[in-house]
Amino acid sequence: MNDMRPIAPEVLASENGKPFKVSRRGFLGASLGALVLGVTLPASLTRALAAAPAAITPGSRVAAFLEIRPDSTVLFRSAFIEGGQGIFTAMAQIVGEELDVDPANFVVEGAPPGPDYLLTGGGRFTGGSMSVRMSYDTMRKLGASARHMLLQAAAAKLGVPVSELSTEPGKVIHAASSRTVPYGEIADDAAALPLPAEVPLRDRANFRWIGKPFARLDARDKSTGKAKYSIDQKIDGMLYAAVQHSPRLGGEPGAMQNEGEVRGMPGVHSVHRLPGAVAVVANSWWRARRAVEALQVNWTEAASTASHPMPADFSSAAHMAKLKAASGDGVAFETEGDAVGALAGAARVVEAVYDAPYLVHGQLEPPSALARWNEDGSLELWLPNQAPEMFQADAAKFAGIAPEKVIIHSPMLGGFFGRHFLYQTANPYPQAIQLAKAVGRPIKLLWSREEEFLRDALRPMAAVRFRGGLDAKGMPVALSAVAVGEGPTGRWFGRQPDKVDSSAVEGIAGKVYAIPNRRVGQIHVDDPAIIGFWRSVGHSMNDFFYETFLDELADAGQQDPYELRHRLLAGSPRHRTLLEAVADLAGGWKRGPFVAEDGTRRARGVAMASPFGSEVATIAEVSLRDGDIAVHDVWVAIDPGSIVNPAIIEAQMNSAVALGLSSALLEEVVYVDGMPQARNYDGYQILTPDRMPRVHVRIVESGAPMGGIGEPGLPGVPPAVANALSVLAGKRIRSLPLSKLDLKEVDG
Amino acid sequence: MELTINGTKHQVDIEPDTPLLWVLRDELGMTGTKYGCGLAQCGACTVLVDGQSTRSCVTPVESVAGTEIMTIEAVADDPIGQKVVEAWVSNQVAQCGYCQSGQVMAATALLKQTPKPSDDDIAGAMVNLCRCGTYNAIAAAVRDAAQA
Ligand code: FES
Ligand code: FES
């Protein structure tokens, strides 16, 4: 999700990096305080949740999160879902530090929906690089509270005052009598005690696990095929389903010419019509898929009443032309000084229009949903999701039952990058619910990669018009940017026509350079496609636009782009330090072109970004060979304020570099006649191993409020690469992906 | 049809052109092998067929009757597979992990054929996609496994 979290209006105004106002009113009013049915929950958790007082302070009740087992290992229910970002391990480090249990002795799973887990500003989602920074203090307190309860239980058992007790990992120690009590022996007694009102937290200087490169808890399971994702869930009596969607959203299935024939195919149980799709239920997914793809369906054109019908003549190229042609200055989002006046008085004005295309998420696990109607009328769902309560509420609405009758299981995610929020037509679970009802059996529905690429919620496309003014010395004195398009936050959480959706401008607005006169505005243009949140959201393209335009200003003012940034950060020590850090990491700044040891002609580009509460500086080194772009090294300096796990941060920077580079070089969803042209990875290329650069990471802990990790490494990559490439190509690059460029004449 | 998977014989009654991937996952309940694309693009479905790295999503099951099939479920029982797994764990390769069954199998196949691979050998064999971008860690882990 974007920097300014789309939860409730009262938190939307929150500023990047500043503490958020916590709203007690969640985004799921109806389910707040609702009890979770115990159909499949462990009895102890059911008891804990049932005993919930009317008003629950999220993150306070130990029993909702922690179960200390007889062997002193810990079952921890995480409010955040693991999808590769390492959150389960981070949670174990944070809670284990205060509880005094080695994080390696934690088993972590995704928590069910419930008021205890609303830790993201009064709501709950895994996204926006929010998980650790939003819950860090609360989870430390939770661990400390549990430790305090264990100490009290041990004091009662040993008949000594609490003040004589201490802990070592997994046990309480009475030094005076050399007695020890393993946590597992007193866990039940401790669980019965009231929560302490105040608990001291461990001194940072004595941290054993927080801040250390602790090994991921899931590394072995994920190296041996044991990790279970939604696609791997299996329950008794289930049938499999596959779908074929209308090629254009909004179309409905008409006649199916060969329905009888398809019914007779091996393993086929039944053929179904769904909103905007047809489905086959069979005794294996392959049979269901083969049958559904054999169905010859007459699709109707979208009714104009359909929500977001895809026009039959829609093309991404035409939509881009429309965005680029939009005139005017739009609604102002950020203003400083007098940009219009300063541009009029500037010694030189530079103008440029930038653009970036639609992208799919391309997470490797295709979406699925397993649905079971239980005899008591409850509905049980296993599905990839980044927000269990939101899915619970939506599924309840769809199924026509109360939210507390919907049991949500949130397995490990096979990648997400923003894919698994509520996107209506991009979520398979309504189909699974409907099919399970129709056939009276549990249904496991899986979308093929082709159906996924047809129905994914896209990173929106956008164009930005820049005007920059330089003074006689070549320093930028004015900058005006008008972003044209639509942001995902406005799409899914409501847009006020007179206000700018921050997810459309973040990364053009919120920049840290001291350009005295600035205006960032937005022109809203409805996007005919289904758009969604994509790793680093608006920043994924906006920092590319801004940071490459900044290089244009540097060139126009005959300044080195690194030196210009350095000068513009004179009043901002945190950012200047970070810029110097990345240059130092790269062995010093040099723009090039220069000849590397292997004889290739190379150049470097630099970019900065301020996404999700963290600060990032990036340098990329690039060469060209026969028109093909090679990125050799990417150096990333990140200042997230303070950290929990440097090894996971380094892994996330690698991951963000890979995805950022993939989008910069290769990715583009093209629509023609209202249909995406690529339906699998053969037509939509993503980064392959041979294109992966070396990644060098430096973490700077400035002590500023804790920022995010999962997304911030991405936004600097496309502009750093494009800035380097511009040097080699001898021309500015204003459009992504770079693979569209014909660089054959440019000598490598 | 009889299949030999991880040293065990299985009888399956299935259309002969069914991809091996779906026989493993849906008929035999071996879900460690993943589906990513179904089109030989991503490698998430990689298994070993007579020691060769094979994309099971495009491998008709009839074509592997009479062969030795090895899946991720048995990788740790194989001496080379075991080394690969240990290298994967010590290099902390996995992020979301979804591609990693296929990556581990591809690495195992490589080291079975080329115990001391050059960097070019590694680049030539480790071509599976990873959307989480674990490519550098994968290459490092393969090098470690070859040393072990
Ligand atoms: S699922 Fe077989 S190669 Fe992608
Ligand atoms: S680890 Fe996620 S796709 Fe490779």
Side-chain angles (χ1 to χ4, degrees):
Chain A
M1 292 213 175
N2 66 328
D3 286 355
M4 292 131 200
R5 298 158 312 124
I7 301 173
E10 57 265 55
V11 294
L12 284 177
S14 304
E15 288 294 310
N16 204 355
K18 294 191 186 127
F20 291 102
K21 191 160 101 192
V22 174
S23 159
R24 290 301 299 272
R25 181 172 72 78
F27 46 147
L28 276 178
S31 77
L32 273 179
L35 301 185
V36 176
L37 285 193
V39 178
T40 59
L41 298 176
S44 54
L45 177 62
T46 309
R47 274 197 307 277
L49 295 175
I56 287 164
T57 305
S60 68
R61 291 190 313 137
V62 169
F65 289 85
L66 277 171
E67 204 174 295
I68 297 171
R69 296 147 152 185
D71 63 358
S72 298
T73 60
V74 172
L75 174 68
F76 180 77
R77 293 183 192 86
S78 169
F80 309 102
I81 310 301
E82 178 62 57
Q85 79 281 41
I87 191 61
F88 280 5
T89 307
M91 286 289 129
Q93 286 176 267
I94 296 165
V95 176
E97 186 73 63
E98 298 291 350
L99 174 62
D100 208 357
V101 169
D102 187 327
N105 290 328
F106 273 61
V107 173
V108 185
E109 57 183 41
D116 286 286
Y117 310 111
L118 305 178
L119 292 173
T120 324
R124 175 182 178 194
F125 61 83
T126 304
S129 301
M130 293 283 174
S131 301
V132 169
R133 57 183 165 134
M134 295 300 289
S135 69
Y136 181 70
D137 293 337
T138 312
M139 289 295 101
R140 283 182 69 193
K141 258 181 233 155
L142 182 92
S145 298
R147 177 175 172 270
H148 186 83
M149 290 153 77
L150 288 159
L151 281 168
Q152 283 181 306
K157 185 180 169 99
L158 297 176
V160 297
V162 172
S163 59
E164 290 179 13
L165 296 174
S166 61
T167 61
E168 279 178 14
K171 56 191 178 218
V172 180
I173 311 282
H174 186 237
S177 64
S178 307
R179 284 180 292 173
T180 66
V181 186
Y183 281 1
E185 278 180 23
I186 44 173
D188 283 349
D189 297 346
L193 295 171
L195 285 171
E198 279 293 322
V199 279
L201 296 180
R202 187 173 271 271
D203 184 348
R204 230 183 120 75
N206 299 329
F207 281 172
R208 295 137 315 156
W209 298 303
I210 294 177
K212 305 294 189 302
F214 198 82
R216 291 181 64 120
L217 300 180
D218 51 11
R220 187 167 297 273
D221 279 358
K222 287 178 172 176
S223 307
T224 51
K226 292 202 180 76
K228 288 261 180 284
Y229 304 84
S230 289
I231 193 176
D232 302 323
Q233 306 298 321
K234 191 163 193 166
I235 54 176
D236 284 348
M238 76 180 192
L239 291 169
Y240 298 83
V243 291
Q244 181 192 154
H245 287 104
S246 165
R248 283 187 282 272
L249 191 65
E252 294 296 338
M256 294 188 265
Q257 292 137 19
N258 58 346
E259 190 174 343
E261 214 172 291
V262 168
R263 274 185 211 285
M265 286 176 73
V268 169
H269 174 281
S270 45
V271 175
H272 303 260
R273 271 165 222 271
L274 300 171
V278 292
V280 169
V281 172
N283 62 0
S284 84
W285 186 73
W286 179 252
R287 285 170 169 149
R289 180 189 180 176
R290 191 145 53 173
V292 84
E293 289 181 356
L295 273 176
Q296 291 159 9
V297 186
N298 293 339
W299 297 101
T300 67
E301 277 310 322
S304 56
T305 50
S307 91
H308 281 284
M310 172 53 75
D313 60 352
F314 176 74
S315 88
S316 42
H319 190 62
M320 181 55 82
K322 180 178 172 183
L323 297 186
K324 285 180 151 178
S327 61
D329 293 329
V331 179
F333 180 79
E334 182 182 277
T335 48
E336 184 78 42
D338 172 17
V340 175
L343 279 164
R348 175 145 186 219
V349 173
V350 181
E351 297 189 38
V353 180
Y354 279 75
D355 65 77
Y358 292 125
L359 304 175
V360 293
H361 291 91
Q363 81 297 341
L364 215 51
E365 181 194 9
S368 62
L370 170 57
R372 175 170 73 191
W373 288 91
N374 294 317
E375 275 175 18
D376 64 359
S378 63
L379 171 67
E380 206 160 351
L381 292 169
W382 290 256
L383 76 179
N385 75 85
Q386 296 177 236
E389 287 77 7
M390 296 178 79
F391 279 70
Q392 183 189 45
D394 196 66
K397 209 160 81 187
F398 180 80
I401 57 178
E404 61 268 24
K405 289 239 167 216
V406 179
I407 300 153
I408 299 278
H409 303 268
S410 308
M412 198 87 93
L413 302 166
F416 57 121
F417 321 117
R419 173 64 182 89
H420 298 303
F421 287 115
L422 274 184
Y423 296 130
Q424 305 304 333
T425 53
N427 301 126
Y429 67 86
Q431 298 171 343
I433 294 172
Q434 192 173 341
L435 291 169
K437 190 94 185 176
V439 303
R441 302 258 300 263
I443 288 289
K444 175 153 147 197
L445 168 70
L446 168 65
W447 283 3
S448 67
R449 176 60 57 190
E450 287 77 6
E451 296 305 313
E452 163 65 348
F453 275 18
L454 181 64
R455 279 290 175 271
D456 188 9
L458 308 176
R459 197 282 302 270
M461 64 160 62
V464 180
R465 274 202 322 271
F466 284 107
R467 298 184 75 213
L470 302 173
D471 67 14
K473 292 192 200 108
M475 282 301 281
V477 289
L479 187 126
S480 160
V482 183
V484 188
E486 181 181 359
T489 303
R491 171 71 66 96
W492 296 109
F493 294 89
R495 190 177 70 84
Q496 291 159 281
D498 55 335
K499 289 228 168 71
V500 173
D501 171 357
S502 64
S503 69
V505 292
E506 59 187 11
I508 304 172
K511 299 298 285 190
V512 291
Y513 305 110
I515 298 174
N517 303 288
R518 303 189 303 272
R519 181 184 186 277
V520 176
Q522 193 225 4
I523 298 173
H524 174 90
V525 176
D526 275 332
D527 198 315
I530 299 298
I531 57 170
F533 300 91
W534 193 92
R535 194 176 192 174
S536 81
V537 194
H539 287 282
S540 68
M541 52 186 161
N542 287 336
D543 285 290
F544 160 73
F545 301 144
Y546 187 104
E547 292 284 322
T548 36
F549 184 67
L550 190 59
D551 265 38
E552 289 205 42
L553 293 183
D555 285 346
Q558 295 185 323
Q559 305 209 45
D560 176 86
Y562 176 89
E563 293 303 331
L564 175 65
R565 284 175 175 81
H566 199 257
R567 251 171 246 143
L568 290 172
L569 296 173
S572 182
R574 183 185 183 193
H575 300 98
R576 209 177 216 198
T577 302
L578 198 66
L579 184 62
E580 289 166 0
V582 79
D584 182 56
L585 184 66
W589 165 252
K590 53 177 173 181
R591 192 186 197 192
F594 54 89
V595 177
E597 270 175 28
D598 65 355
T600 53
R601 185 169 160 268
R602 299 189 183 186
R604 289 181 177 183
V606 61
M608 297 190 77
S610 309
F612 307 93
S614 288
E615 299 295 335
V616 182
T618 308
I619 292 177
E621 184 169 311
V622 177
S623 73
L624 271 174
R625 196 174 291 152
D626 303 326
D628 201 32
I629 303 160
V631 180
H632 301 276
D633 291 90
V634 175
W635 294 271
V636 183
I638 177 164
D639 173 6
S642 60
I643 68 165
V644 172
N645 189 323
I648 289 177
I649 293 176
E650 191 164 336
Q652 285 301 292
M653 293 309 114
N654 264 269
S655 177
V657 166
L659 197 59
L661 185 57
S662 191
S663 70
L665 291 179
L666 304 167
E667 297 184 32
E668 176 178 29
V669 173
V670 175
Y671 267 77
V672 176
D673 297 333
M675 293 179 284
Q677 298 302 285
R679 300 284 295 271
N680 208 317
Y681 295 112
D682 55 345
Y684 185 93
Q685 276 194 47
I686 65 171
L687 198 79
T688 45
D690 57 316
R691 291 186 183 272
M692 183 72 192
R694 286 180 293 269
V695 178
H696 317 264
V697 180
R698 182 172 296 174
I699 300 166
V700 177
E701 286 190 81
S702 64
M706 191 182 268
I709 293 301
E711 294 163 281
L714 194 147
V717 177
V721 170
N723 282 335
L725 187 60
S726 286
V727 175
L728 296 174
K731 61 176 180 189
R732 294 309 311 178
I733 292 158
R734 302 187 179 118
S735 181
L736 295 179
L738 301 172
S739 57
K740 286 187 307 192
L741 297 168
D742 185 4
L743 298 165
K744 285 263 167 18
E745 299 100 81
V746 181
D747 203 9
Chain B
M1 195 179 314
E2 186 174 276
L3 296 176
T4 308
I5 302 167
N6 302 329
T8 304
K9 293 197 187 320
H10 297 265
Q11 298 297 327
V12 292
D13 180 18
I14 193 113
E15 298 81 271
D17 59 348
T18 305
L20 173 61
L21 172 65
W22 298 105
V23 176
L24 293 172
R25 290 184 56 84
D26 288 356
E27 304 298 319
L28 302 173
M30 301 167 80
T31 54
T33 306
K34 302 303 186 204
Y35 165 67
C37 69
L39 213 59
Q41 296 292 312
C42 74
C45 62
T46 305
V47 299
L48 303 199
V49 175
D50 289 337
Q52 296 277 348
S53 170
T54 302
R55 292 185 163 176
S56 64
C57 69
V58 291
T59 303
V61 64
E62 64 181 337
S63 72
V64 292
T67 66
E68 294 283 338
I69 299 160
M70 183 174 137
T71 70
I72 188 74
E73 279 81 5
V75 75
D77 303 333
D78 178 272
I80 292 172
Q82 174 65 31
K83 280 186 200 174
V84 172
V85 168
E86 292 311 319
W88 244 249
V89 173
S90 64
N91 281 275
Q92 296 281 294
V93 174
Q95 290 192 22
C96 86
Y98 194 78
C99 74
Q100 298 298 345
S101 294
Q103 307 281 8
V104 164
M105 296 314 285
T108 302
L110 167 65
L111 296 184
K112 277 177 182 289
Q113 269 143 37
T114 314
K116 297 286 169 216
S118 65
D119 283 358
D120 281 350
D121 292 333
I122 294 174
M126 301 303 295
V127 295
N128 289 354
L129 298 178
C130 173
R131 189 57 160 167
C132 300
T134 64
Y135 298 132
N136 288 329
I138 286 172
V142 176
R143 284 192 293 267
D144 275 10
Q147 300 295 317

